[in-house]
Amino acid sequence: MTCSVSTIVTCTQGSRKSMEDYYSVTKLLKDRSHFFAVFDGHGGSAVAAYCKEHMHGVLESAFTRNTSPETDVKIRNAFLRMDALIQKDMPEESQHTGTTVGILFIDKKKIWSANCGDTEIMVSFKDGRSTMLSQSHKVENEIDRLQKKGAIITNYDCPRIEFRLNIARSLGDFDLKKYVIPDPFIKSIPLDKKIDYIIIASDGLWDVFTKDEVTYLIKELKSTTYAHTNYDEKKIMNKICHDVIQEALKKGSTDNITMIFLRIE
């Protein structure tokens, strides 16, 4: 299926002292696949910034060099390779700094997604259905694995590893690498005209919204707020991103939020 992709990216620092989210929108040179990614740094922005510059190249190299015919194996190897490069190129900074990752790329037949941490990806279909293309790797979702590894789980504001991280998977964070793994959740769906839109966003959005709430909000915005305007498609996409993030802030999100909103035609 030949497709065109329209993309809008909106970011806000929220009430945090600094912006640690980064994103990437590009094409993989090998086959011109569309590539999208959100990186949500913690403990600093260095690892997230590094991933922004190198993740797409590492993924492309995995497809070029890896002999496995399975796409999911190549994606997993790219995440592991990215983690190794972070440790090699920034050994001191990455001891106490890391990033969550959500990536998506579109080839001629499929949409592939992968995430590590709590940066997540949602697809909404034209019939009103929506589903997550990601998995939340919060500490509470992986307590059994973490405790078997000997992790100390503390619970002050939320479950954390040793009072620090509230995620069980990330890139970087090498002082906790025994517990915090870089293994991504990977999923694919057919490239289909039934798809309405896809959202990739950092946890500043998903901590206050479920996928159903986001789907309902966008439906309401399109059917009421924008229904009697003369906005073109790009303007509507811009308004959706802006208004969804504003609603997240109203609902109490204090985190950085980065949201990639894309439509496939």
Side-chain angles (χ1 to χ4, degrees):
M1 173 182 168
T2 303
C3 70
S4 62
V5 181
S6 300
T7 310
I8 294 293
V9 184
T10 302
C11 309
T12 183
Q13 187 171 311
S15 61
R16 294 293 175 92
K17 293 181 179 180
S18 61
M19 184 63 170
E20 296 179 341
D21 283 3
Y22 286 81
Y23 69 89
S24 177
V25 175
T26 186
K27 286 190 176 182
L28 303 181
L29 297 177
K30 178 177 178 289
D31 57 5
R32 306 303 291 166
S33 298
H34 297 273
F35 175 85
F36 310 89
V38 171
F39 308 100
D40 180 359
H42 49 263
S45 61
V47 173
Y50 183 91
C51 288
K52 169 188 165 62
E53 296 300 323
H54 298 287
M55 187 76 201
H56 65 282
V58 170
L59 181 65
E60 190 161 53
S61 294
F63 275 80
T64 303
R65 298 175 185 174
N66 198 295
T67 57
S68 171
E70 301 300 327
T71 298
D72 59 339
V73 173
K74 296 175 182 179
I75 295 171
R76 181 166 281 103
N77 286 340
F79 272 71
L80 299 180
R81 174 62 176 162
M82 189 76 239
D83 202 46
L85 285 174
I86 291 166
Q87 187 175 36
K88 174 178 175 291
D89 291 348
M90 44 196 315
E92 293 185 9
E93 289 175 292
S94 62
Q95 284 300 304
H96 305 284
T97 305
T99 188
T100 65
V101 182
I103 71 167
L104 181 138
F105 67 93
I106 303 170
D107 61 24
K108 295 177 181 178
K109 295 182 179 180
K110 286 187 176 182
I111 296 172
W112 287 89
S113 64
N115 83 300
C116 189
D118 53 10
T119 293
E120 295 208 65
I121 305 159
M122 184 192 94
V123 59
S124 180
F125 297 92
K126 292 176 181 176
D127 63 4
R129 294 178 297 120
S130 62
T131 189
M132 299 305 290
L133 300 179
S134 57
Q135 188 178 78
S136 177
H137 300 134
K138 299 280 194 186
V139 166
E140 56 263 36
N141 298 328
E142 300 202 24
I143 283 181
D144 286 347
R145 178 184 68 78
L146 292 168
Q147 290 182 332
K148 285 178 182 178
K149 288 287 186 178
I152 298 173
I153 308 300
T154 56
N155 198 341
Y156 178 62
D157 57 338
C158 65
R160 293 180 182 271
I161 301 171
E162 298 181 0
F163 293 98
R164 286 181 49 204
L165 285 183
N166 67 339
I167 51 170
R169 303 191 192 196
S170 70
L171 300 184
D173 296 309
F174 286 101
D175 64 325
L176 295 176
K177 189 55 69 179
K178 180 179 178 181
Y179 317 121
V180 183
I181 59 177
D183 301 61
F185 173 81
I186 301 167
K187 190 168 183 175
S188 68
I189 59 172
L191 182 56
D192 197 308
K193 291 183 178 180
K194 296 176 183 178
I195 294 170
D196 190 9
Y197 59 84
I198 297 174
I199 292 173
I200 311 168
S202 52
D203 69 317
L205 180 71
W206 305 115
D207 282 350
V208 295
F209 274 123
T210 67
K211 67 175 177 62
D212 292 332
E213 288 170 338
V214 171
T215 304
Y216 179 79
L217 174 59
I218 291 175
K219 180 182 177 182
E220 286 298 296
L221 289 171
K222 290 169 72 174
S223 63
T224 57
T225 308
Y226 316 145
H228 305 294
T229 68
N230 58 355
Y231 293 163
D232 60 18
E233 184 63 29
K234 203 74 171 180
K235 177 73 171 179
I236 289 175
M237 290 175 66
N238 263 305
K239 286 289 292 177
I240 285 172
C241 281
H242 175 271
D243 290 350
V244 168
I245 286 180
Q246 289 303 306
E247 285 299 316
L249 297 174
K250 289 178 185 177
K251 284 171 69 70
S253 179
T254 60
D255 204 350
N256 303 156
I257 305 175
T258 296
M259 174 176 164
I260 299 178
F261 184 86
L262 60 102
R263 297 205 65 194
I264 302 168
E265 300 292 343

